[in-house]
Amino acid sequence: MATTKPTFEELFRSAQHSAWHFEARDAYALDEDYQEWIAGNHFDPAERWPWWIDLVSASVVRGVDVRRARVVSEPVSAYIRYEHALTSGHNVKAGESVRWLPRRQASSLLLPGNDCWIFDRASVLFNHFNGDGEMTGEELVTDPGVAHACVSAFEAIWERATPHEEYRPV
């Protein structure tokens, strides 16, 4: 009997203790939202993506610790400036804790090779992207060794990183 892989939303909604996101790219898909923002239409991210506010805030109310750690090159890319500008009205408003770590301060850390979500310190959902930042797939890994390595890396990043409210992109 074949089993189906849970969706991202199912993984998120089933998290009991934590949902942590590690991001390490300086740009993702330069989609219509990004193009619109760069052109000067600074929309409200909570109105644009209410599903995220609903998903995260419902998890936080249940007691799930939702964190996002971003490792970025400095000077930052235009995409990271866009991401930073949206973070308060999107991620933080939803209930996430967000921190930023300049890549130079991460040199001595062993980091996952791909962005990932870590659920309850036991499941890792790796996000795969092509060179242009387009998502090409996901890979769910529940191997305890991989989960432990990703948790350790995330905690090390979190310890060094600057809270969103204090980070100023350069």
Side-chain angles (χ1 to χ4, degrees):
M1 178 176 192
T3 59
T4 59
K5 179 184 101 173
T7 66
F8 169 75
E9 188 171 337
E10 289 168 339
L11 288 166
F12 209 101
R13 289 192 187 284
S14 67
Q16 296 178 22
H17 306 288
S18 61
W20 297 344
H21 193 194
F22 164 67
E23 296 178 341
R25 297 182 57 87
D26 287 317
Y28 294 86
L30 305 180
D31 61 12
E32 294 169 11
D33 294 319
Y34 170 77
Q35 298 299 336
E36 189 176 332
W37 185 269
I38 292 301
N41 180 14
H42 294 182
F43 54 83
D44 179 349
E47 290 179 7
R48 180 74 50 111
W49 306 300
W51 67 272
W52 185 252
I53 303 288
D54 295 342
L55 178 66
V56 173
S57 60
S59 298
V60 170
V61 165
R62 289 188 295 106
V64 177
D65 175 34
V66 182
R67 297 183 192 180
R68 182 179 303 258
R70 292 175 168 148
V71 176
V72 297
S73 299
E74 290 182 332
V76 300
S77 67
Y79 189 91
I80 294 300
R81 286 192 188 286
Y82 157 75
E83 227 177 26
H84 186 270
L86 295 177
T87 295
S88 290
H90 186 237
N91 307 95
V92 174
K93 183 174 186 171
E96 291 183 57
S97 295
V98 180
R99 291 191 181 182
W100 301 80
L101 182 65
R103 195 171 308 282
R104 289 177 190 227
Q105 294 177 28
S107 296
S108 63
L109 301 177
L110 298 177
L111 304 178
N114 293 290
D115 289 14
C116 61
W117 277 94
I118 306 164
F119 296 100
D120 292 331
R121 304 170 69 96
S123 298
V124 181
L125 183 66
F126 289 104
N127 302 128
H128 298 291
F129 297 90
N130 68 18
D132 292 326
E134 299 281 341
M135 186 172 239
T136 60
E138 299 172 326
E139 176 186 5
L140 181 61
V141 177
T142 57
D143 177 274
V146 173
H148 176 74
C150 290
V151 166
S152 294
F154 189 91
E155 289 175 333
I157 295 164
W158 197 257
E159 182 70 25
R160 291 185 186 188
T162 302
H164 174 72
E165 298 75 23
E166 299 171 23
Y167 180 73
R168 300 293 171 258
V170 295

